[in-house]
Amino acid sequence: MTSPDRGKAWGPGKLGKLGFGGAGIGNLYRAMPDGEALATVLAAWDAGIRYFDTAPHYGLGLSEQRLGAVLRDKPRDDFVISTKVGRILEPSSRGGRDPEGFDVPADKERVWDFSEAGIRRSLEDSLERLGLDHVDIAYLHDADVHDLQAGISQGLPALEKLRAEGIVKAIGVGLNSAEAALECVEAADLDLVMLAGRYTLLEQPSVPLLERCLERRTGVVNVGVYNSGLLARPDVPDDAHYNYEQAPRAVVERARALAAVCRDFGVELPTAALQFPLRHPAVVNVTVGASAPEQVAANAARMAESVPEELWAALEAAGRD
């Protein structure tokens, strides 16, 4: 049976509207000095952000280490932290750099493990890297990439046991596929779904997952709102990326059309992109990454900016064109 308080308990009042995503401080695409990474996390704290998300996948544990270095000095009841399970980090002697997009030494390798024992070990390892005695939320990570049915049959029951034992307060899935997330929502009593890049200003799709999450009181944490950077700047450049690749010309032109509508109302495109998902009642938080303190401050300012209601109707119309 679904608890009637699940999504409500993990709404904006608990997470805040804006969360901090930890992939960037795991050296996503480029190496960051420790000082810059720690300053970026502190900038998020100073901006009033109190929800922080990370994962073992991000920099082979580096993100968790850096995030914990800041947060373990903060009052534990003052913030919410989530990490992810499903990948175990094992020592590796292959050498070189990590082949999965993070600029770190490949001294560990990721091993998929959705078993109960694997998930418990993953969480214990994360707590050691973070230097914390518990995390609030555990997400099953990327089951749509590896083995969705194993995630549903093994991983989700294991997470439900962890929640029942009080080891974590909330459980969910972190996925790129809205269809896969819907399967998970139907299969388990989830508190949250972290949905990456499937509900954005650019696409404004009909996402049945969101309506079902409303019915089951499962909150949606929306990530990837800038569509790989396409919507991250007021003026969309020719070399913009979309879905982690060079954006097709037609997609660039669609983004520029949205930017032009925003300018007509005195609003910049990234501000609209950041605030748009929260207009759906299923979405309880928008979490975005940052790789510099200035990016955190800009995101916080954009989330706090007042946007005229008329802009949303104009953008909805432009998104259908």
Side-chain angles (χ1 to χ4, degrees):
M1 179 181 296
T2 300
S3 166
D5 296 322
R6 290 269 184 248
K8 183 177 180 181
W10 295 95
K14 183 78 170 180
L15 301 179
K17 292 181 178 180
L18 183 63
F20 177 86
I25 62 167
N27 286 4
L28 180 63
Y29 304 135
R30 72 173 184 90
M32 294 177 68
D34 283 340
E36 184 178 0
L38 300 183
T40 301
V41 179
L42 282 170
W45 185 272
D46 291 343
I49 293 171
R50 293 297 182 267
Y51 172 47
F52 299 85
D53 176 68
T54 184
H57 175 56
Y58 302 157
L60 295 170
L62 180 62
S63 173
E64 290 180 320
Q65 292 168 354
R66 287 172 161 174
L67 191 60
V70 174
L71 293 184
R72 59 176 169 258
D73 291 331
K74 303 299 184 185
R76 185 60 188 88
D77 291 340
D78 288 0
F79 63 90
V80 174
I81 186 169
S82 58
T83 193
K84 305 185 182 74
V85 297
R87 291 176 175 94
I88 299 290
L89 300 182
E90 297 282 10
S92 173
S93 59
R94 61 187 169 179
R97 309 299 288 177
D98 177 43
E100 296 197 30
F102 295 89
D103 190 358
V104 296
D107 55 359
K108 304 181 188 69
E109 62 180 329
R110 303 165 179 87
V111 178
W112 291 101
D113 193 338
F114 290 168
S115 70
E116 181 178 341
I119 283 175
R120 288 179 183 271
R121 179 186 161 190
S122 176
L123 190 56
E124 290 169 1
D125 290 350
S126 289
L127 291 176
E128 184 173 345
R129 287 187 291 267
L130 287 162
L132 298 174
D133 63 0
H134 72 280
V135 296
D136 301 283
I137 305 162
Y139 294 108
L140 184 66
H141 201 189
D142 288 341
D144 51 336
V145 172
H146 176 55
D147 186 337
L148 180 61
Q149 294 313 309
I152 290 173
S153 64
Q154 299 177 48
L156 296 185
L159 284 176
E160 288 182 310
K161 286 184 68 174
L162 290 176
R163 184 180 60 196
E165 294 170 16
I167 294 173
V168 295
K169 298 176 183 177
I171 61 171
V173 291
L175 304 172
N176 292 285
S177 165
E179 293 76 18
L182 181 57
E183 287 191 54
C184 294
V185 167
E186 298 291 5
D189 184 13
L190 302 181
D191 301 283
L192 296 161
V193 168
M194 180 170 278
L195 183 65
R198 300 282 74 84
Y199 185 64
T200 71
L201 180 64
L202 181 74
E203 299 175 27
Q204 302 184 37
S206 172
V207 181
L209 167 69
L210 299 184
E211 301 307 320
R212 189 64 177 129
C213 283
L214 269 181
E215 294 169 356
R216 290 183 63 83
R217 302 294 185 96
T218 299
V220 176
V221 175
N222 210 39
V223 299
V225 296
Y226 291 142
N227 284 116
S228 303
L230 181 67
L231 307 182
R233 287 173 279 190
D235 298 305
V236 181
D238 290 333
D239 62 351
H241 283 73
Y242 172 66
N243 285 346
Y244 305 104
E245 299 177 349
Q246 173 66 44
R249 170 56 55 182
V251 174
V252 170
E253 292 306 324
R254 280 172 53 203
R256 286 174 173 168
L258 294 173
V261 174
C262 290
R263 279 194 295 273
D264 289 343
F265 288 84
V267 175
E268 292 187 339
L269 177 63
T271 299
L274 191 64
Q275 293 193 26
F276 166 76
L278 287 166
R279 294 180 56 77
H280 195 292
V283 177
V284 297
N285 173 274
V286 171
T287 287
V288 292
S291 55
E294 297 79 14
Q295 291 179 4
V296 176
N299 286 329
R302 291 188 187 285
M303 184 60 83
E305 187 176 330
S306 178
V307 174
E309 192 66 28
E310 296 80 7
L311 171 60
W312 300 118
L315 286 170
E316 183 178 352
R320 290 194 300 263
D321 292 343

